[in-house]
Amino acid sequence: MSEHLSALIVVLPLLAAPVCLLLRHTAMVRAWTSIVAWACMIMAWTLLERVQTGGAISYSMGGWDPPLGIEYRLDALNAYLLVIVTTIAAVVFPSGTILTGTALPEGKRHLYFAALLLCLAGLLGISSTGDLFNVFVFVEITSLSSYTLISLGKDRRALTAAFSYLVMGTIGGTFLLLGIGFLYQVTGTLNMQDLALRLPELLESRTVLAGFAFLMVGGSIKLAVFPLHQWLPNAYTQAPPAVSAFIAATATKVSYYLLARVIFTIFGAAFVFDALHLHWLMLPMALAAMFAGSFAAVFQTDLKRLLAYSSIAQIGYMVLGLSMASEAGLTGGIVHLFNHALMKGGLFLAVASVVMRTGSSSVNAISGLGRKMPITMAAMVIGGLSLIGVPGTAGFVSKWYLVVGALEHGWYSVAVLILLSSLIAVVYVWRLVEIAFFGEATHDVCEVPWNSWLPTWILIGGTLVFGLWTDVTVGGASSAARALLGGTP
Amino acid sequence: MEALGVWNYWVVVLLMMIGLYTVIARDHLVKKLIGLGVFQVSVIMFYVSMGKVTGGTAPIIPDEVPAEGILYSNPLPHVLMLTAIVVGVATLAVGLALVVRIREAYGTAEEDELQRMNGAQS
């Protein structure tokens, strides 16, 4: 049983989704979804522990050995990612705000939970498979379920947001498929380890270069790297807030993993950075994302849109870590996956609580709520501080490693820019604090019930805990970074 | 004329560009989805023509005649495309369902009108 864990963690949510259709009753489906998410989280932590003590786990699907069969391969990076995704799912799915802001009538709600579970299955599949075509299939499972989830927002604009995400996402997914096709055409294999062995002698081939380009662009669309981010603000703004919390905290992280896997494991850092000089493309894009995203966030009048633009800036920090291709830089990028998942998940859940009480997610809705909903608003402030990167919060840890990475490279101006862009975050976070604590109370509301504020606080508390106690997060991230750079994960 | 020898890839490129152009240039959402479909089909054609070996036959090992010396086509890309076709159909289904809902909510499926209505609302 236990040797099948790396397959079970994907298969369980995949099979649990149709069960939702049989249960139908909303309360039962909710409990079932939470149980599945919790089971996945336990499996993920077990796998992480096993990978860290015993090295990479290879699992042959159906007993067919790789490279012919499909391999599920977990190393320090995958296992870390599985932990991020399942932990967020285990916190968000049981939340009392999970149905807030959805346009679903009673009697159709079990379908919403089925889509959530399918999305989880897709994300876990991308993270654990060692087969490129499998990646494409799971990317599409994730995307299709997230189009559905986003379109369930209350406002009719959710529909157009979901549609434009569908068009962008499908183009991105098809680019991935095309890139995979080019690589298969040259190497005759789809297994990542096998590709890594066969590619080095073929790197001069134009087919391989074209395949690499398509994989990078496809992955960047899914990650919403700066010039390709247009779909993200609308999608996050119009989706039900709990869906925004789940997708913002997990989907972009998994796309980031995919890019890191393609760059470091399949093609190798030497080819990508020494021969192609990709960091001279990624670095300006990351810096532009940091500034453009933060600037845009300052002027937003909707809380979810503000957080969405801040996500674009945070993705910039992660890509910055990727472009450094050094242990400190990658550690910063990967640890920021975890930290950003915690804080953005927590902040979106706090917004979900606001929507639950006031029915609106506009910035003015939180006016004076600091006194009415102190628990939720305190969480929002701490999450905001973590976005800025105040010492003692998780955001500080990741920015610390990024700055160290930049200094190691001698990129002093980049280190200064990291700090400057953090200052812009101060502006938009302070705006929220000012409105929430010094504004006139316009809504006569009370605090949300415990099952709504507790999930927010688990994530926000996590940013405080992992801001001071960094053994697990930084330890896991740096062994993941070493595995990526070492070539043999 | 060597470049024309790989005419199957020219077809793929042509279809792909037609699809992508339709997605970008057309205003009606259903037409966008048609473009998206053509775009996906071009990649499917790419895989299918990639697996074909000139003179190769269907990859079924015969029972009686000696199996050596028979040239087979590569079946793997074809099998992969079965999955990709399913993905394409699912995407189209979700997309069309969204267009139906958009039409119900806005009374139109023209992108410029939708943008105008969204802009007026926010």
Side-chain angles (χ1 to χ4, degrees), chain A residues 11 28 88 103 126 142 153 164 172 182 221 245 251 274 327 332 368 372 389 395 406 410 444 483 487:
Chain A
V11 172
M28 266 157 66
I88 297 292
I126 303 171
T142 314
S164 46
F182 279 132
I221 291 177
D274 298 342
E327 197 184 318
K372 306 275 185 188
D444 192 24

Side-chain angles (χ1 to χ4, degrees), chain A residues 209-264:
Chain A
L209 281 177
F212 178 70
F214 275 117
L215 282 174
M216 290 308 285
V217 175
S220 302
I221 291 177
K222 295 281 177 191
L223 175 60
V225 177
F226 170 60
L228 306 169
H229 68 277
Q230 291 300 335
W231 59 268
L232 186 142
N234 276 327
Y236 284 12
T237 311
Q238 304 303 341
V243 170
S244 305
F246 180 59
I247 292 180
T250 54
T252 48
K253 313 292 172 285
V254 171
S255 315
Y256 180 85
Y257 155 79
L258 188 58
L259 280 188
R261 191 54 98 199
V262 169
I263 292 177
F264 291 98

Side-chain angles (χ1 to χ4, degrees), chain A residues 279-303:
Chain A
H279 50 288
W280 294 125
L281 183 63
M282 285 164 78
L283 186 65
M285 288 198 316
L287 293 173
M290 281 153 52
F291 280 93
S294 300
F295 263 123
V298 172
F299 299 104
Q300 296 310 317
T301 52
D302 185 282
L303 285 172

Side-chain angles (χ1 to χ4, degrees), chain A residues 6 35 54 56 104 138 169 184 192 200 205 313 343 391 421 465:
Chain A
S6 33
I35 293 167
L104 277 171
F138 281 120
Y184 176 74
M192 292 181 189
S205 141
M343 48 190 161
S421 65
V465 172

Side-chain angles (χ1 to χ4, degrees), chain B residues 33-103:
Chain B
L33 283 177
I34 293 172
L36 213 56
V38 173
F39 181 61
Q40 287 182 315
V41 163
S42 75
V43 179
I44 292 172
M45 303 252 298
F46 167 68
Y47 269 81
V48 169
S49 66
M50 174 169 95
K52 173 67 182 166
V53 176
T54 314
T57 176
I60 305 163
I61 299 175
D63 276 340
E64 280 102 40
V65 278
E68 287 84 34
I70 304 176
L71 192 62
Y72 295 114
S73 283
N74 183 356
L76 184 68
H78 301 177
V79 176
L80 296 181
M81 281 313 103
L82 288 181
T83 317
I85 289 168
V86 173
V87 167
V89 170
T91 312
L92 205 61
V94 175
L96 287 173
L98 280 175
V99 175
V100 170
R101 294 262 284 120
I102 287 175
R103 180 71 213 266

